[in-house]
Amino acid sequence: MSGGGLLVAGTTSDAGKSVVTAGICRWLVRQGVKVAPFKAQNMSLNSFVTREGAEIGRAQAMQAQACRVEPTALMNPVLLKPGGERSSQVVLLGRPVGEMSARGYHGGRQQRLLGTVLDCLERLRGTYDAVICEGAGSPAEINLRRTDIVNMGIARNAGLPVLVVGDIDRGGVFASFFGTVALLSAEDQELVAGFLVNKFRGDVSLLEPGLDMLRGLTGRRTYGVLPFRHGLGIDEEDGLRVSLRGAVRESAVAAPVGEDVLRVAVCAVPLMSNFTDVDALAAEPGVVVRFVDRPEELADADLVVVPGTRGTVRALRWLRERGLADALARRAAEGRPVLGICGGFQILGEHIEDEVESRAGHVDGLGVLPVRVRFAREKTLTRPVGRALGEPVEGYEIHHGVAEVLGGEAFLSDDRGHSLDGCRVGQTWGTHWHGSLESDGFRRAFLREVAAAAGRRFVPAPDTSFAALREEQLDRLGDLIEQHADTDALWRLIESGAPQGLPFIPPGAPA
């Protein structure tokens, strides 16, 4: 017998589907429910590697953590990684299967993946008491409905009730709720059980007349009004926001333990991937992290991070065009700290041979690390462990570039001191490992080195645990659902499906 299920859809992208899904998952697991997350198709450059070596969206890995289960490829069978305005790498069941244009994907390939997606969902529902699915974009994207496999397409095929989330902080939430339902076919509308208001500020009693009118207009109830909370956008799919506690864009910086703060500038390269690598830095009291795109913004930085990117050669060109490449080279020559991660590591090297990602052939790098990179067709997907700066460290690798290190010091090594990855020259470091800064001891040791090189009297907090902060944040999401949603009604949806007899709202989907 299959377990219960729910599809969390949204009126728009970034309405809060990912965090609401995580919150529902954490609430359920605290009630003793065995639950798993699912997103049929994800478009994101922020990805993760599972223990079996499969690449999935980081949002689904975060949701798996909310469920207190190990993430697997079943939870995100299709991942699209944009490589430009019109094409993406298609990752199927954790492995890249090729590049495809948006027209080619929506023109037939997507629909052929429906069987695979439904099989993954059914396998999860056969194992768990409940599966909480996340949609993508809006279910009312009428131009894409025919080939949809992530919103109403999967809801219809799997018989899932649908909860529509709207971000009231943007404005127009009532029109968005009504219009979303009214642009669906009668068959799709039968599955839309109701609404969840996200990011509300103020007195809920002032909102209630509108919710009553919305129910009168649509015949559908609102299952909760979630208040606005800073810093809950953990593991965002894309964009320039760092997730943990909103430390870059939203919240006040914690007081430093030492006398000084430490300023970190992250180069906002095109097609930036796994920008959440700097979350762990932003979690440290007294570390100020910001994204930059001008060379003058590097002047007062104690550390500059060149992050990962889906377009290494394109990012290198962008750095040169903006004068950031020269600024980075000067920093390295002056012994001022620079850290390159994955694509950023490759950019700092001597040259790149790329016949795979950009097909640009031989391209000169910045030449600040003695590294030569050759792009292989096979993608490296691993979960390595090792040591660095005297501390244990672990991470994950997602890259086509293969680095040949020709000098410098080993950066990451095994227990015997043999180099595993990356290199260091002076105060310039490079590594392919994402997530290494989440290792608390290593992060503190690294920041001590950065502070010494920068001449800052910064002291890392001795007790900051990134894993504990992440758990605390997931519990906050669970608390939001438990305290501000009708959890009894939500459980009835998950267990029994959408209510019968929901009215049709014209005009419905175009023919």
Side-chain angles (χ1 to χ4, degrees):
M1 180 179 176
S2 293
L6 174 70
L7 176 69
V8 178
T11 55
T12 62
S13 294
D14 202 32
K17 297 183 292 292
S18 294
V19 294
V20 167
T21 299
I24 293 173
C25 287
R26 179 49 63 101
W27 159 66
L28 284 172
V29 81
R30 294 196 308 207
Q31 309 308 307
V33 178
K34 188 180 179 184
V35 59
F38 180 79
K39 186 163 186 173
Q41 172 194 294
N42 198 348
M43 178 172 279
S44 178
L45 289 172
N46 200 18
S47 59
F48 182 76
V49 178
T50 67
R51 294 210 178 274
E52 71 266 33
E55 184 180 7
I56 66 172
R58 267 198 72 108
Q60 280 60 66
M62 175 268 291
Q63 291 161 358
Q65 186 176 347
C67 297
R68 298 180 179 143
V69 299
E70 192 66 34
T72 73
L74 293 177
M75 297 172 183
N76 179 206
V78 181
L79 174 64
L80 305 178
K81 303 192 73 175
E85 295 298 322
R86 297 188 176 183
S87 68
S88 294
Q89 183 180 66
V90 181
V91 179
L92 179 62
L93 293 173
R95 295 287 173 182
V97 294
E99 296 279 335
M100 187 165 289
S101 68
R103 180 180 293 273
Y105 183 69
H106 290 288
R109 177 64 182 270
Q110 184 180 33
Q111 187 66 20
R112 292 196 295 273
L113 294 173
L114 179 61
T116 299
V117 162
L118 290 171
D119 178 65
C120 291
L121 176 57
E122 192 56 34
R123 288 169 66 183
L124 289 173
R125 294 181 77 180
T127 304
Y128 292 90
D129 301 328
V131 178
I132 308 303
C133 307
E134 180 189 343
S138 162
E141 291 168 349
I142 53 179
N143 56 315
L144 303 176
R145 176 61 184 91
R146 182 177 60 84
T147 57
D148 171 50
I149 65 170
V150 65
N151 290 307
M152 301 312 300
I154 195 165
R156 282 269 293 277
N157 279 279
L160 294 173
V162 178
L163 181 70
V164 180
V165 177
D167 180 355
I168 197 170
D169 198 47
R170 295 182 174 191
V173 75
F174 292 118
S176 298
F177 281 145
F178 183 86
T180 296
V181 179
L183 281 177
L184 300 178
S185 68
E187 294 82 0
D188 285 350
Q189 287 192 25
E190 288 175 359
L191 294 171
V192 179
F195 313 107
L196 186 76
V197 176
N198 192 29
K199 299 184 183 178
F200 179 72
R201 305 172 191 250
D203 184 348
V204 175
S205 66
L206 298 177
L207 187 67
E208 287 170 352
L211 301 179
D212 292 339
M213 286 185 272
L214 181 67
R215 185 164 190 168
L217 288 166
T218 67
R220 290 157 174 85
R221 58 165 298 173
T222 297
Y223 284 77
V225 178
L226 306 185
F228 185 94
R229 292 288 186 268
H230 280 289
L232 289 182
I234 55 178
D235 289 352
E236 302 280 359
E237 292 182 347
D238 283 302
L240 291 184
R241 285 177 295 180
V242 167
S243 59
L244 188 67
R245 298 175 179 268
V248 168
R249 296 289 186 190
E250 297 175 8
S251 68
V253 177
V257 175
E259 297 180 40
D260 288 341
V261 298
L262 208 62
R263 295 173 176 83
V264 179
V266 184
C267 296
V269 297
L271 299 174
M272 182 164 48
S273 61
N274 290 72
F275 56 92
T276 45
D277 281 332
V278 297
D279 279 11
L281 295 179
E284 283 286 346
V287 175
V288 183
V289 181
R290 67 184 189 274
F291 289 103
V292 302
D293 59 5
R294 299 191 303 270
E296 56 268 27
E297 293 177 296
L298 305 188
D300 68 343
D302 302 307
L303 169 68
V304 175
V305 177
V306 188
T309 171
R310 171 83 166 88
T312 301
V313 171
R314 176 176 169 181
L316 182 55
R317 186 185 313 120
W318 181 87
L319 289 167
R320 287 190 165 120
E321 288 170 351
R322 289 179 171 262
L324 284 160
D326 289 339
L328 286 166
R330 284 195 302 271
R331 281 188 69 93
E334 294 166 0
R336 301 179 66 199
V338 177
L339 171 65
I341 302 174
C342 200
F345 169 40
Q346 297 165 6
I347 283 168
L348 297 177
E350 295 174 357
H351 72 248
I352 298 166
E353 291 288 341
D354 181 12
E355 299 293 347
V356 176
E357 190 175 79
S358 67
R359 297 181 176 84
H362 180 99
V363 178
D364 290 332
L366 299 189
V368 298
L369 287 177
V371 175
R372 295 175 183 172
V373 176
R374 176 184 55 81
F375 273 64
R377 297 200 176 277
E378 186 73 17
K379 182 185 280 190
T380 298
L381 295 168
T382 63
R383 289 274 293 271
V385 296
R387 297 187 67 81
L389 306 180
E391 298 285 346
V393 60
E394 58 184 89
Y396 54 100
E397 295 185 57
I398 307 170
H399 55 91
H400 284 279
V402 178
E404 180 186 7
V405 179
L406 302 172
E409 304 173 44
F411 185 27
L412 302 165
S413 60
D414 60 21
D415 288 334
R416 297 179 181 179
H418 300 145
S419 179
L420 292 174
D421 180 77
C423 79
R424 172 185 182 175
V425 172
Q427 299 303 319
T428 301
W429 297 266
T431 177
H432 273 129
W433 291 20
H434 295 290
S436 63
L437 294 167
E438 295 178 20
S439 299
D440 297 327
F442 165 69
R443 181 181 65 254
R444 286 192 278 268
F446 177 70
L447 289 175
R448 280 193 290 270
E449 292 227 3
V450 168
R456 295 285 185 188
R457 289 172 292 185
F458 168 84
V459 178
D463 55 356
T464 301
S465 166
F466 185 80
L469 287 171
R470 174 55 53 85
E471 276 296 303
E472 174 189 307
Q473 198 172 28
L474 291 171
D475 276 331
R476 289 174 66 205
L477 292 177
D479 292 343
L480 277 182
I481 298 299
E482 189 169 334
Q483 296 166 12
H484 300 282
D486 186 339
T487 52
D488 289 340
L490 275 180
W491 178 246
R492 286 194 296 272
L493 271 188
I494 293 166
E495 193 174 39
S496 305
Q500 297 297 306
L502 292 168
F504 172 73
I505 307 302

